[in-house]
Amino acid sequence: MTRYECLSVLAPLLKDEDLVITALGWVAGEWHSIRPKESNLYQINMGMCTPLSLGLALALPHRRVTALESDGSVLLYLGNLTTLANKRPPNLTVIVFDNECYLATGGLPTATAGSTSLAGMAKAAGIVHSYEVKSLEEFEGRAREALGREA
């Protein structure tokens, strides 16, 4: 399963008015090639995709917000996990693509290349609906679930 395949599955699940914020890196270009909409925001600061998405979700409770995150970005600001767990906006979905490396810097490994589990860390922070998926079918199921969830 590739990130591009996941994004291709995700795109038709979203409405035109849904806001999508991307992390720094290749995900932005891939997402733009799949779903070039005015409701996309291509975030360029590492570690800021989730907090920006959280702020938008809280400020715009009538809009669905989806964050397309990376493992390196999440690891940079782990405190974001605890804030997400405490705020729990029902209109926010955070999808983390974990390639176990900092691709933009030549592929240096992130902590997830070892024994670190981002889904496990998120659950420990209090994010109940946190999952690690291994297949495209599982990704689609979890994405549909998350986008339809009320809380």
Side-chain angles (χ1 to χ4, degrees):
M1 157 176 81
T2 67
R3 180 179 55 224
Y4 192 86
E5 289 171 330
C6 291
L7 294 173
S8 295
V9 165
L10 178 65
L13 302 179
L14 298 173
K15 300 173 185 170
D16 285 346
E17 65 272 9
D18 289 345
L19 299 175
V20 179
I21 296 82
T22 69
L24 175 71
W26 296 103
V27 69
E30 289 177 350
W31 184 245
H32 179 74
S33 74
I34 293 169
R35 185 182 180 264
K37 302 277 184 193
E38 289 184 12
S39 57
N40 293 339
L41 178 58
Y42 304 101
Q43 217 298 109
I44 61 168
N45 296 307
M46 189 170 176
M48 293 290 109
C49 181
T50 294
L52 176 60
S53 299
L54 175 60
L56 287 169
L58 292 172
L60 302 167
H62 60 286
R63 302 275 298 266
R64 285 195 316 186
V65 179
T66 300
L68 302 178
E69 263 289 16
S70 68
D71 52 330
S73 182
V74 171
L75 288 164
L76 185 60
Y77 291 112
L78 291 175
N80 290 334
L81 296 177
T82 58
T83 304
L84 279 175
N86 286 307
K87 293 296 182 183
R88 297 176 191 221
N91 58 327
L92 176 61
T93 299
V94 178
I95 298 171
V96 181
F97 293 103
D98 185 357
N99 62 0
E100 300 180 354
C101 73
Y102 296 101
L103 190 60
T105 61
L108 297 169
T110 64
T112 62
S115 60
T116 300
S117 164
L118 291 177
M121 294 173 76
K123 280 194 183 290
I127 300 172
V128 177
H129 300 289
S130 178
Y131 308 97
E132 184 175 322
V133 300
K134 297 289 187 182
S135 71
L136 201 53
E137 295 76 23
E138 189 180 5
F139 175 83
E140 181 175 3
R142 291 295 186 190
R144 284 183 185 280
E145 229 176 78
L147 292 169
R149 188 174 291 117
E150 291 297 319

